[in-house]
Amino acid sequence: MAELHKATFAGGCFWCMVKPFDQWDGIHQVISGYTGGHVHNPTYEDVKAGHSGHYEAVEITFDPTIISYKEILEVYWRQIDPTDAGGQFHDRGDSYRTAIFYHDEEQQEQAEKSKKDLAESGRFLKPIVTEIVKAATFYPAEEYHQDFYKKNEDEYKADRAKSGRDTFIEEKWS
């Protein structure tokens, strides 16, 4: 079995960031959680209050012999509005900002290149503001947040519809 790698992304509400990755071959696990802040073992309430410095994020464990980090980056960019520094869709505040958390120099280089390529593509009129930062400690979110789209299908679908995320994705990527 190949060595598994990690990829970590913040893209607004972590509920909406699990399913897009979970459905690909080579993805072994997608965990909702918190990263990038200064509070040790934050709770959802800590992060949502905006005082912990953490982002809502997903940590993806993947087999790079089946799906490459470059492919995972492409999936990521298609889930977010990379021009919005204030959050994502109807989720506002620092904990909902976008970021790519790189785990090694190769991931950093690929993330920087993918961001540059997206900026130069002309797809977005405003600057790409998604941060690319070194991965920090990742804290898994509470169990009720894990695989939310599977456990609470109706609430998940309603939240996505209300957020405007799907409309944005369709307009920008279809």
Side-chain angles (χ1 to χ4, degrees), residues 88-150:
Q88 287 293 284
F89 311 103
H90 73 170
D91 294 311
R92 310 310 301 159
D94 287 349
S95 63
Y96 296 114
R97 294 170 294 156
T98 60
I100 298 169
F101 297 92
Y102 62 87
H103 291 265
D104 57 33
E105 190 175 304
E106 184 179 343
Q107 283 189 357
Q108 180 184 13
E109 290 171 6
Q110 288 183 41
E112 294 285 358
K113 182 180 181 332
S114 71
K115 181 178 176 178
K116 182 178 181 276
D117 290 349
L118 184 61
E120 293 174 352
S121 73
R123 184 174 298 275
F124 297 96
L125 301 177
K126 296 188 280 184
I128 306 300
V129 297
T130 299
E131 298 176 283
I132 299 174
V133 294
K134 186 167 180 46
T137 303
F138 182 89
Y139 300 97
E142 296 80 355
E143 181 56 36
Y144 69 93
H145 290 298
Q146 304 304 329
D147 295 320
F148 191 85
Y149 80 97
K150 293 177 184 175

Side-chain angles (χ1 to χ4, degrees), residues 23-24 53-54 56 75 77 85 96 105 120 127 133 140 142 167:
Q23 59 194 348
W24 290 88
H54 288 283
E56 283 196 15
V75 173
W77 289 119
Y96 296 114
E105 190 175 304
E120 293 174 352
V133 294
E142 296 80 355
T167 301

Side-chain angles (χ1 to χ4, degrees), residues 34 43-52 56 91-92 95-96:
Y34 318 110
T43 65
Y44 180 66
E45 289 74 25
D46 294 331
V47 175
K48 191 166 182 151
H51 305 298
S52 71
E56 283 196 15
D91 294 311
R92 310 310 301 159
S95 63
Y96 296 114

Side-chain angles (χ1 to χ4, degrees), residues 4-6 13 30 40 48 53 55 61-62 64 77 107 111-112 114 121 127 135 139 144 151-152 154 159:
L4 299 179
H5 291 208
K6 301 274 187 197
C13 173
V30 183
H40 183 70
K48 191 166 182 151
Y55 297 72
T61 305
F62 68 100
W77 289 119
Q107 283 189 357
E112 294 285 358
S114 71
S121 73
Y139 300 97
Y144 69 93
K151 296 177 189 173
N152 301 285
D154 291 340
D159 189 65

